[in-house]
Amino acid sequence: MRDVRVSLVGYGIVGHGVVEVLNRKKKVLREMGLDLKLVSVTDHTGTVFSEEGINAEKILGERTLQNVATSSMKGKEAIIAIDSDLVVEVTPTNIVHGQPGLGHMEAALSSGKHVVTSNKGPLVVAYSNLRKLAEDNGVMLKFEATVGGVMPLISLVERTLVGNTIYGIRGIFNGTCNYILTRMAEEGIPYTHALSEAQDLGIAEADPSYDVEGVDTAGKVVILANSLFDMNVKYSDMNVTGITGVTSEALALAKKRGYVIKLIGDVPALTVRPTLVPIGSPIAVAGTLNSAAIYTDISGTITVTGLGAGSIETASAILSDIISIYRTKRIDAIF
Amino acid sequence: MRDVRVSLVGYGIVGHGVVEVLNRKKKVLREMGLDLKLVSVTDHTGTVFSEEGINAEKILGERTLQNVATSSMKGKEAIIAIDSDLVVEVTPTNIVHGQPGLGHMEAALSSGKHVVTSNKGPLVVAYSNLRKLAEDNGVMLKFEATVGGVMPLISLVERTLVGNTIYGIRGIFNGTCNYILTRMAEEGIPYTHALSEAQDLGIAEADPSYDVEGVDTAGKVVILANSLFDMNVKYSDMNVTGITGVTSEALALAKKRGYVIKLIGDVPALTVRPTLVPIGSPIAVAGTLNSAAIYTDISGTITVTGLGAGSIETASAILSDIISIYRTKRIDAIF
């Protein structure tokens, strides 16, 4: 049995999902020989710590840790002080300066802890530094959940398609934009109506600009470019157009010709823009789904689709990364 | 550097693809630390053998090995006699008795050689026996290429989605049927016209019954049911309807209501039948593509699509299986 002590930093929607999934999958993981023990959870109000593993039921009902914290430690302080093997970083993202996640990841990697994250900001801002820090400390940095939600995109490219040359990746990386464009096309309604509907359903934020201006998609393209294509690009290298200028007339015209309009991110083109996609194309998925077509030399084009967001779904991508760390840890010894 | 001696049995379309892909990827694989040496190729006319590795250029121009064979050994005899670590079995499939592939695989596994195959028949007929034989001899049996061509379906479920409970898998597992149904829907032409077109293009066989009656799809469902769902089913447990009864009127009516008709295989339902699928659904892909939706508890629904056939593409799935054997060989020691 492999014992792994996990610290969780960030206790918002995704953090709650992580606690729930680790709890729900405890038995299955033990049957595989992996004993994941959640020893601490930290948010902006403090830390819950338990040497024996935190009882999920005791904290899942709490929106923050304010009433259950066993220590006032926060952020880096908690990460360094607590004896754990792996840090799951899921604090709110900021793709301009990457904080507070960037500092958290640096602290974790520097103290020899693996990092698994759904937090795009630090990777957009400082991928190569974080990567180097992980290598220097002999630990892993895994971030499948930052790109396209539950689509196992990075794992597909790095593991299953490992013998392939990857020419490019194109797809839908933002469920909010996809929902709005899908509704506009289906109902012939204008952008503002579809946005309001998405906001009412909790699919779009009150301030939707991060999604609808293409910022979120562009951040994901930067992460893919740096991690899978070794491109060393910054956000400012991206050419980005969001969906606010797409009209229902354009969508109707496209439909008549057998197309849909989708917000497509493209590596290595480093573009995000509304794009005509043939109906029936594997990336032309509807609703809040994400999709990614991977263009390869010997496997042709492989496309994968999945939910772009969701608390449990994002947590499942995090769990998959955690498992892969302990599954692949000794691969270097073989290859 | 890990040296692996590979024997190839079967030298038809897929066999040629395997020789080409192993040759084309030799350098990349060596950079990964894996030295794959193709020491023998066997077909119904004899065997080419080379201790140092066969020169791909010398045999790729030959349709059979008749003019280049260095030995008259065939089938099981060659498999047992030649010193290799891994056998790639790609002889023509037969899903009634599984021969000659079944005998080849039994011989290879019994002599302690890994088996990687695209040959459905032996797995449909005798999955649990082959599985047991592999376990008893401490070797692996890998068959990603038998199900859905290049879609990395088995690898996705067994590796990336490993923490998930899989509720079911539904999808399009036959590119010929999908091509015919797509053309009928697009052009409003009857089944017989679309079939003729597919035959002219080499997408359908002169005797198309294996594809259009749903036999091929049903065989793949049997393999998925046995390998991923531990169901221990036989071909006769399947409930199968092909596409010969689908009319262009039905397709037109479906389209008007926002649907396409696709030949869908379903595990664990054990059905193959023409099914209404909403346009925009991730599995509603067009042309010769295959698709598979994997229904899970914590990752939601993940869909993967890719080419259903093709010499190089099938060989790429075989290569991926080969790599995974040497990547995952020591996992048991960790878990």
Side-chain angles (χ1 to χ4, degrees):
Chain A
M1 186 70 68
R2 174 108 197 180
D3 290 308
V4 178
R5 299 162 59 82
V6 177
S7 285
L8 171 65
V9 182
Y11 197 54
I13 291 173
V14 175
H16 281 74
V18 170
V19 172
E20 190 176 332
V21 163
L22 291 184
N23 185 47
R24 217 203 275 182
K25 291 294 174 179
K26 204 161 186 57
K27 192 158 158 277
V28 174
L29 293 169
R30 285 184 61 94
E31 284 164 11
M32 289 178 187
L34 193 62
D35 192 4
L36 290 186
K37 200 176 282 175
L38 181 65
V39 294
S40 70
V41 182
T42 299
D43 73 1
H44 60 287
T45 68
T47 292
V48 178
F49 174 80
S50 165
E51 181 81 34
E52 279 69 46
I54 290 166
N55 184 338
E57 268 84 37
K58 285 211 173 132
I59 65 167
L60 272 174
E62 306 286 329
R63 208 174 61 82
T64 75
L65 300 174
Q66 198 160 13
N67 300 320
V68 288
T70 56
S71 152
S72 62
M73 285 196 298
K74 289 164 206 144
K76 283 186 271 194
E77 188 194 358
I79 290 168
I80 292 164
I82 293 165
D83 177 23
S84 61
D85 307 301
L86 185 151
V87 171
V88 175
E89 215 290 340
V90 294
T91 60
T93 206
N94 179 302
I95 71 167
V96 178
H97 51 60
Q99 299 297 356
L102 181 53
H104 295 166
M105 292 183 199
E106 287 167 347
L109 296 171
S110 303
S111 11
K113 302 175 192 216
H114 302 295
V115 169
V116 175
T117 189
S118 62
N119 187 348
K120 281 176 285 294
L123 292 154
V124 171
V125 173
Y127 175 76
S128 58
N129 287 348
L130 289 170
R131 178 79 185 226
K132 189 168 178 312
L133 208 50
E135 276 164 18
D136 289 349
N137 288 280
V139 288
M140 297 185 84
L141 168 65
K142 304 281 283 182
F143 45 90
E144 184 75 80
T146 61
V147 185
V150 299
M151 292 192 303
L153 186 50
I154 293 170
S155 138
L156 259 181
V157 171
E158 290 193 335
R159 295 199 287 165
T160 307
L161 300 176
V162 69
N164 284 266
T165 299
I166 309 294
Y167 297 134
I169 298 176
R170 296 176 76 217
I172 298 171
F173 299 109
N174 185 278
T176 305
C177 290
N178 199 23
Y179 181 84
I180 291 170
L181 292 175
T182 301
R183 292 297 293 159
M184 288 173 70
E186 281 174 358
E187 306 291 335
I189 54 178
Y191 168 76
T192 47
H193 289 202
L195 172 61
S196 298
E197 183 186 295
Q199 286 169 323
D200 288 347
L201 292 169
I203 292 168
E205 308 273 345
D207 174 2
S209 52
Y210 182 72
D211 291 316
V212 299
E213 302 289 358
V215 181
D216 175 66
T217 303
K220 290 167 178 169
V221 171
V222 170
I223 294 174
L224 290 174
N226 289 337
S227 62
L228 299 181
F229 293 79
D230 284 326
M231 287 176 72
N232 199 21
V233 299
K234 300 183 298 298
Y235 188 90
S236 55
D237 297 317
M238 293 293 305
N239 194 330
V240 184
T241 308
I243 62 164
T244 56
V246 178
T247 64
S248 47
E249 290 74 21
L251 284 158
L253 192 61
K255 194 175 180 180
K256 206 184 279 179
R257 306 260 164 98
Y259 289 86
V260 286
I261 297 175
K262 298 293 186 187
L263 187 70
I264 300 294
D266 187 315
V267 199
L270 302 182
T271 53
V272 174
R273 58 170 66 120
T275 305
L276 288 168
V277 181
I279 293 171
S281 155
I283 61 168
V285 294
T288 58
L289 284 174
N290 284 13
S291 65
I294 308 164
Y295 302 90
T296 76
D297 60 342
I298 57 170
S299 294
T301 304
I302 305 266
T303 305
V304 63
T305 77
L307 281 172
S311 166
I312 297 297
E313 290 82 1
T314 305
S316 85
I318 288 171
L319 177 64
S320 180
D321 271 351
I322 295 175
I323 294 173
S324 82
I325 287 177
Y326 294 98
R327 276 214 150 175
T328 59
K329 211 168 155 39
R330 294 187 199 169
I331 279 180
D332 294 339
I334 301 169
F335 267 6
Chain B
M1 186 71 67
R2 173 108 197 180
D3 291 308
V4 178
R5 299 163 58 82
V6 177
S7 286
L8 171 65
V9 182
Y11 197 54
I13 291 173
V14 175
H16 281 74
V18 170
V19 172
E20 189 176 332
V21 164
L22 290 185
N23 185 46
R24 215 202 277 182
K25 291 294 176 181
K26 204 160 187 58
K27 190 157 157 277
V28 174
L29 292 169
R30 285 184 61 94
E31 285 165 11
M32 288 177 188
L34 193 61
D35 192 5
L36 290 185
K37 199 176 285 173
L38 183 64
V39 294
S40 71
V41 183
T42 299
D43 73 1
H44 60 288
T45 68
T47 292
V48 178
F49 173 80
S50 167
E51 180 82 32
E52 279 68 47
I54 290 166
N55 183 337
E57 269 84 37
K58 286 212 172 129
I59 65 166
L60 272 174
E62 306 285 329
R63 209 175 59 82
T64 76
L65 300 173
Q66 199 160 9
N67 300 321
V68 287
T70 56
S71 150
S72 63
M73 284 195 299
K74 289 165 206 143
K76 282 186 271 193
E77 190 196 355
I79 290 167
I80 292 164
I82 292 165
D83 177 22
S84 61
D85 307 302
L86 186 150
V87 171
V88 176
E89 215 290 338
V90 295
T91 60
T93 205
N94 179 302
I95 71 167
V96 177
H97 51 58
Q99 299 298 354
L102 182 52
H104 296 167
M105 293 183 199
E106 286 166 348
L109 296 171
S110 302
S111 9
K113 301 173 193 219
H114 302 293
V115 169
V116 175
T117 190
S118 61
N119 187 348
K120 282 176 285 294
L123 292 154
V124 171
V125 173
Y127 175 76
S128 58
N129 287 348
L130 289 170
R131 177 79 187 225
K132 189 168 180 310
L133 207 51
E135 275 164 19
D136 290 350
N137 288 280
V139 289
M140 297 185 83
L141 168 65
K142 303 282 283 182
F143 46 90
E144 184 75 79
T146 61
V147 185
V150 299
M151 294 190 304
L153 186 51
I154 293 170
S155 137
L156 260 181
V157 171
E158 290 193 335
R159 295 199 288 165
T160 308
L161 301 176
V162 68
N164 283 266
T165 299
I166 310 293
Y167 296 134
I169 298 176
R170 297 177 76 218
I172 299 172
F173 299 109
N174 184 279
T176 306
C177 290
N178 199 23
Y179 181 84
I180 292 170
L181 292 175
T182 301
R183 293 296 294 157
M184 288 173 70
E186 280 174 357
E187 307 292 335
I189 54 178
Y191 167 76
T192 48
H193 290 201
L195 172 61
S196 297
E197 184 186 296
Q199 285 169 324
D200 289 345
L201 292 169
I203 292 169
E205 308 272 344
D207 173 3
S209 52
Y210 182 72
D211 291 315
V212 299
E213 301 289 359
V215 181
D216 175 67
T217 303
K220 289 165 177 169
V221 171
V222 169
I223 294 174
L224 290 174
N226 288 337
S227 62
L228 299 181
F229 293 79
D230 284 327
M231 286 177 74
N232 199 20
V233 298
K234 299 183 297 296
Y235 188 90
S236 55
D237 297 318
M238 293 293 303
N239 194 330
V240 184
T241 308
I243 63 165
T244 56
V246 178
T247 64
S248 47
E249 290 74 23
L251 283 158
L253 192 63
K255 195 174 180 181
K256 205 183 282 178
R257 306 259 164 99
Y259 289 86
V260 285
I261 297 176
K262 298 293 186 187
L263 186 70
I264 299 293
D266 187 315
V267 198
L270 302 182
T271 53
V272 174
R273 58 169 66 119
T275 305
L276 288 168
V277 181
I279 292 171
S281 156
I283 61 168
V285 293
T288 59
L289 285 173
N290 284 13
S291 65
I294 308 164
Y295 302 91
T296 76
D297 60 341
I298 57 170
S299 294
T301 303
I302 306 267
T303 305
V304 63
T305 77
L307 282 172
S311 167
I312 298 296
E313 290 80 3
T314 305
S316 85
I318 288 170
L319 177 64
S320 180
D321 271 352
I322 294 175
I323 293 173
S324 82
I325 286 177
Y326 294 97
R327 277 216 150 174
T328 58
K329 213 167 151 43
R330 295 189 197 168
I331 278 179
D332 294 341
I334 300 168
F335 266 8

